[in-house]
Amino acid sequence: MAVAMASCGSISGVYANLNAIEKISISSSVLFRGSFGLDPVQRICLVPKRLAFSESTIIPKASSTAAVEDGSSQDTAVPTPKVIIDLDSDPEATVVEVTFGDRLGALLDTMSALKNLGLNVVKANVYLDSSGKHNKLCITHASTGRKVKDPELLEAIRLTIINNLMEFHPESSSQLAMGEAFGAFQPNQKVLDVDIATHIHVYDDGPEQSLLCVETADRPGLIVDLVKIITEINIDVISGEFDTEGLLAKAKFHVSYKNKALIKPLQQVLANSLRYYLRRPTTEESSF
């Protein structure tokens, strides 16, 4: 069921680099232009922090063996947390979907944290299926009412939601890549082998765009890294979806080059560039 949310207000000073995105004409269908102007080596500085939670959520703060609302014991198997950021399905808002089995409450604390990023939750609904309870939020800029496009702000949304999951449901950290550094429980599988986990494919998707699919080990700043690599080789990102599924990150981007689908040689250049960057040893920069 849909619930109309009151305006969340705005905070003074959202990310300075939003200007680069806001200068794009509203009529343009491109979210991120080629030559984005960001150094692909630079890491986004978004450090998860501990957040205070209200008592309005449905699920009480969980221990390693969480209790359900009626007080009975839950199955000790921890479900895979999922955070989906969708720029395709709604032309007016960025859609965020959060799933963690049937353990999530109303996410009121998450909405409050998003308000602190200068965002409005204009609509929220919940639906159930065999995989659990899905909380879906439609998000816009509080100052402009427009959908969120800036990759750094999209990454901030993702990390804020994951941080809230680990704070309010500590057992989720055993299924998240960030749990190794910030969670109450270490990931059972530890960090995935990047070489094994990384898969990159580019498909034809009509005369005007191609579909880029990336699957790799999750890490903070990944949305920004992917967009910077794509735009550094003058490829435009038209729209996309970014999914965090436990330790894995899965991205789908519709991309184009000069308003045309990517030819085969350019598809190979794009795939090789992403593969090289994602598989690079993380100690490469710090070793100097």
Side-chain angles (χ1 to χ4, degrees):
M1 58 180 175
V3 181
M5 307 301 298
S7 174
C8 293
S10 62
I11 60 173
S12 58
V14 186
Y15 296 87
N17 63 351
L18 278 173
N19 295 331
I21 297 295
E22 297 298 337
K23 289 180 181 178
I24 300 176
S25 170
I26 298 178
S27 61
S28 173
S29 61
V30 177
L31 294 182
F32 311 121
R33 287 288 183 186
S35 297
F36 195 61
L38 297 174
D39 182 4
V41 176
Q42 183 180 1
R43 293 290 185 192
I44 183 172
C45 296
L46 290 172
V47 180
K49 63 180 181 179
R50 297 300 182 188
L51 299 174
F53 292 87
S54 70
E55 298 177 356
S56 54
T57 49
I58 297 174
I59 307 296
K61 191 162 184 175
S63 63
S64 58
T65 55
V68 293
E69 293 172 25
D70 60 3
S72 61
S73 295
Q74 275 186 318
D75 186 350
T76 56
V78 178
T80 300
K82 297 181 181 180
V83 179
I84 298 173
I85 297 178
D86 180 7
L87 298 175
D88 282 332
S89 60
D90 192 320
E92 304 298 331
T94 299
V95 178
V96 176
E97 184 176 315
V98 187
T99 307
F100 186 46
D102 60 357
R103 305 188 182 193
L104 293 180
L107 297 187
L108 298 181
D109 297 284
T110 296
M111 295 181 195
S112 177
L114 294 174
K115 172 185 175 181
N116 293 333
L117 294 177
L119 304 170
N120 279 344
V121 178
V122 295
K123 185 170 64 175
N125 59 62
V126 177
Y127 68 92
L128 299 171
D129 62 16
S130 58
S131 64
K133 181 180 179 181
H134 301 255
N135 295 63
K136 186 175 289 188
L137 310 175
C138 294
I139 299 172
T140 62
H141 285 287
S143 58
T144 65
R146 296 170 59 186
K147 71 189 300 180
V148 182
K149 300 177 182 180
D150 174 34
E152 289 203 16
L153 190 49
L154 292 171
E155 180 67 9
I157 292 170
R158 186 176 79 98
L159 296 186
T160 295
I161 293 171
I162 291 174
N163 187 63
N164 275 19
L165 268 174
M166 293 193 300
E167 179 74 14
F168 200 59
H169 296 275
E171 72 276 16
S172 68
S173 63
S174 67
Q175 301 283 344
L176 291 164
M178 289 209 308
E180 186 171 20
F182 303 103
F185 301 96
Q186 293 291 300
N188 297 329
Q189 197 175 348
K190 295 297 181 180
V191 178
L192 294 174
D193 186 297
V194 176
D195 287 334
I196 297 174
T198 299
H199 304 281
I200 300 169
H201 303 283
V202 185
Y203 304 99
D204 294 329
D205 191 27
E208 297 182 353
Q209 64 183 18
S210 299
L211 178 63
L212 168 66
C213 298
V214 180
E215 180 177 317
T216 191
D218 188 29
R219 62 172 183 253
L222 189 56
I223 294 179
V224 177
D225 292 341
L226 291 175
V227 171
K228 285 190 290 190
I229 293 299
I230 296 169
T231 56
E232 278 291 320
I233 53 179
N234 296 315
I235 293 175
D236 298 330
V237 178
I238 302 170
S239 63
E241 178 181 310
F242 193 94
D243 303 352
T244 305
E245 297 184 11
L247 300 176
L248 280 174
K250 301 178 181 181
K252 292 186 294 185
F253 295 115
H254 289 101
V255 296
S256 68
Y257 178 71
K258 295 183 177 180
N259 299 318
K260 300 292 183 182
L262 276 57
I263 60 176
K264 294 299 181 182
L266 189 53
Q267 290 182 12
Q268 191 63 50
V269 169
L270 175 59
N272 289 345
S273 298
L274 288 168
R275 189 173 291 111
Y276 168 77
Y277 182 76
L278 292 173
R279 290 181 174 179
R280 253 186 352 179
T282 56
T283 57
E284 181 176 317
E285 298 168 36
S286 60
S287 61
F288 292 97

